[in-house]
Amino acid sequence: MMREFAERQQGWWFPRRYLYLAAKAIAFLGGVLAAAWVGIMLADLQAPPGSVSSHDQIKVGSRWKIEPALAFTVSENLEGLREYDFRSSGAESFSVDGVSLFEVVEEGIELEVLAGGDRRYLKVRLCQGEGEGDIFWLMVREFSKIAVAKSS
């Protein structure tokens, strides 16, 4: 009788151990996700919205000149650029679909800032002459290195 009771008790406690381990794993994953979220928030603070330098502000509708012989990373969609940005922190070579290098080969190329960007990524239109240009995404940190405010 005692043995049966002990076996039943042991069987009852066995799943509780797994529940405790599962709860610990969920708490750990929650902590990792919270740390990642805090890291993203701190990265946003390092590049305040709209800042290129201490004197110039990126505003929707503003136009910026790009000098020839420059290259910068562009993407057809924001998700691809975010993935590229995340993977570029590693040392390995990689490629992301929809992300490419845009090389400026001629004078007169301008970028117009469009609505929809955020603190780290800008939505821009490539302007060459009078026609409508391609629309793509680029990183604010690259934009601040290549763009010169267009004097009116």
Side-chain angles (χ1 to χ4, degrees):
M1 181 81 157
M2 269 319 241
R3 185 175 180 176
E4 290 175 16
F5 179 74
E7 286 175 3
R8 271 192 267 146
Q9 281 293 96
Q10 190 177 26
W12 177 254
W13 285 101
F14 192 70
R16 281 191 177 178
R17 238 187 303 173
Y18 283 128
L19 289 175
Y20 178 70
L21 290 174
K24 281 176 61 175
I26 290 170
F28 174 75
L29 291 175
V32 168
L33 291 175
W37 182 75
V38 168
I40 290 170
M41 297 302 289
L42 290 174
D44 283 347
L45 292 175
Q46 292 174 5
S51 71
V52 173
S53 67
S54 58
H55 304 292
D56 300 315
Q57 293 292 318
I58 301 172
K59 295 179 182 161
V60 173
S62 62
R63 288 193 169 215
W64 300 78
K65 293 188 298 186
I66 306 296
E67 300 296 324
L70 289 174
F72 49 94
T73 305
V74 299
S75 177
E76 300 167 357
N77 58 73
L78 183 57
E79 289 75 25
L81 189 63
R82 284 182 173 155
E83 182 184 346
Y84 171 86
D85 198 14
F86 175 75
R87 293 173 70 186
S88 67
S89 60
E92 298 177 23
S93 62
F94 58 91
S95 65
V96 177
D97 288 338
V99 177
S100 59
L101 194 65
F102 183 86
E103 296 184 37
V104 181
V105 293
E106 59 186 74
E107 292 280 345
I109 293 182
E110 297 177 3
L111 296 178
E112 178 185 0
V113 177
L114 303 175
D118 62 19
R119 298 169 192 226
R120 289 169 294 178
Y121 307 102
L122 291 176
K123 187 176 186 179
V124 297
R125 176 184 290 127
L126 179 68
C127 303
Q128 293 177 295
E130 295 298 318
E132 291 289 318
D134 295 334
I135 295 175
F136 50 77
W137 293 88
L138 62 88
M139 291 176 269
V140 169
R141 68 176 180 266
E142 283 196 28
F143 184 83
S144 65
K145 294 175 185 173
I146 61 166
V148 177
K150 183 180 176 186
S151 57
S152 300

